[in-house]
Structure formats: C-alpha cells, structure tokens
C-alpha cells in the first residue's frame, strides 16, 4: 500500500509556472501586474478598472473544515481545477492568510493535498508582505496615539475648540 505524500511534499514537488506566463494567459501585460518574486503577483488597479466585468464570480466565504482539514481554500482551488479541466478560463484570487498557520493554531490558506496553491510556504508565512505592513503600522500605533492625543489636547485649549463650537479644519 502506498502512502500519500504530505501537503508540503506535494507543494515542493510541484513545477510552478512563472507568474508572468500565467498573467499573459489571461490577457495581462507585464505592466499590469506587480510581481512579488517569480511566482506571485498582484493585478494593478488600473488593469482591473479598464476591463469590463464579465464571467461569473463564485465566492467561497464560509465553511466548516472537515476533519481532514479541507476548508474554504481547498474548496476554492478544487473548484477552479475542475472548471479549468472543463475548458473554462479560471482565475482564483485569495487573500493573505492569517498568522494562525505560523503559530500552528490553524491550517494554512493554500488548500491541501493535490488541491493547493503553491508556493504554500511563502503564502502562509509572508505572501506579499501585507501582514508585515499591518503589523508594523499597529506597532507604531501607541506612539502615534500619544502624538495625536497631545495635538488634540493642545488644540482643545484654543478658542476654536471651546464648547459649543466645532474646531476648524
């Protein structure tokens, strides 16, 4: 009896296509994507705005995972694979996963088994850096609130901020 490889083994064995090739297949030029390495990218807002909406949107927004761990990401990827196998032009858009996988609290946001998005390790750990930006901003919040609080206190002592009058902007 053969053993099924783990998710990480399957992901590491996958042959990834450069994101520029994938983008070209759906009609995007190199100027219309913002690459994050060779295999990940965001679509520019301008590229999205100049294309009229067409096709169908399937939103997988909530599901209880199975005991095997199949949840929203696995359903999304599996559905996209099935539609592509039927000859449909398919694009999957996923958001950056929470930091749960980093701390072993939950599964990743890349699916599982042979229905997963690669590079799973990069996606689950850092993806495009958005979470790092949010974390950095949140870390800066306490000093920022002290500065804004001080500014508000100082402006409250001016005549424009006296009771019954809205402060000028």
């Amino acid at each position: 009896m053969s053993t099924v490889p783990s998710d990480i083994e399957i992901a590491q064995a996958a042959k990834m296509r450069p994101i520029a090739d994938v983008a070209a297949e759906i009609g995007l030029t190199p100027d219309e994507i913002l690459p994050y390495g060779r295999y990940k990218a965001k679509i520019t807002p301008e590229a999205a705005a100049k294309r009229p909406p067409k096709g169908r949107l399937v939103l997988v927004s909530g599901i209880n995972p199975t005991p095997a761990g199949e949840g929203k990401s696995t359903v999304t990827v599996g559905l996209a694979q099935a539609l592509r196998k039927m000859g449909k032009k398919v694009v999957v858009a996923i958001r950056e996963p929470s930091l749960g996988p980093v701390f072993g609290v939950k599964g990743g946001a890349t699916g599982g088994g042979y229905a997963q998005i690669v590079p799973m390790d990069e996606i689950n750990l850092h993806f495009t850096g958005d979470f790092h930006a949010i974390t950095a901003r949140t870390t800066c919040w306490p000093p920022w609130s002290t500065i804004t609080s001080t500014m508000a206190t100082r402006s409250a002592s001016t005549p424009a901020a006296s009771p019954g009058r809205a402060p000028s902007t």
Side-chain angles (χ1 to χ4, degrees):
M1 187 162 107
S2 65
T3 60
V4 177
S6 69
D7 288 351
I8 191 70
E9 290 170 328
I10 293 169
Q12 290 173 339
K15 183 175 179 339
M16 294 187 285
R17 293 173 51 206
I19 196 66
D21 295 350
V22 175
E25 188 175 299
I26 61 169
L28 294 169
T29 67
D31 292 336
E32 294 177 315
I33 62 170
L34 302 170
Y36 287 83
R38 291 180 41 92
Y39 304 108
K40 301 176 296 200
K42 290 183 179 182
I43 299 172
T44 65
E46 297 80 17
K50 77 179 192 182
R51 288 173 171 74
K54 64 180 180 180
R56 306 281 192 281
L57 170 67
V58 178
L59 180 63
V60 180
S61 62
I63 186 174
N64 290 329
T66 68
E70 298 123 342
K72 295 182 295 290
S73 300
T74 306
V75 168
T76 300
V77 176
L79 182 58
Q81 288 175 324
L83 289 168
R84 185 164 169 96
K85 187 81 170 172
M86 293 170 50
K88 305 294 182 187
K89 193 181 280 191
V90 180
V91 175
V92 173
I94 59 169
R95 65 172 177 78
E96 186 159 350
S98 71
L99 293 176
V102 175
F103 300 109
V105 177
K106 62 181 278 298
T110 56
Y114 290 99
Q116 64 178 296
I117 300 167
V118 291
M120 75 176 291
D121 51 345
E122 290 180 30
I123 292 169
N124 282 327
L125 292 176
H126 197 61
F127 207 17
T128 60
D130 291 348
F131 258 118
H132 173 71
I134 293 167
T135 303
R137 174 62 183 100
T138 303
T139 303
C140 291
W141 182 252
W144 178 250
S145 62
T146 302
I147 292 166
T148 54
S149 177
T150 303
M151 291 169 56
T153 303
R154 288 184 182 155
S155 68
S157 63
T158 64
S162 60
R165 292 183 61 191
S168 58
T169 55

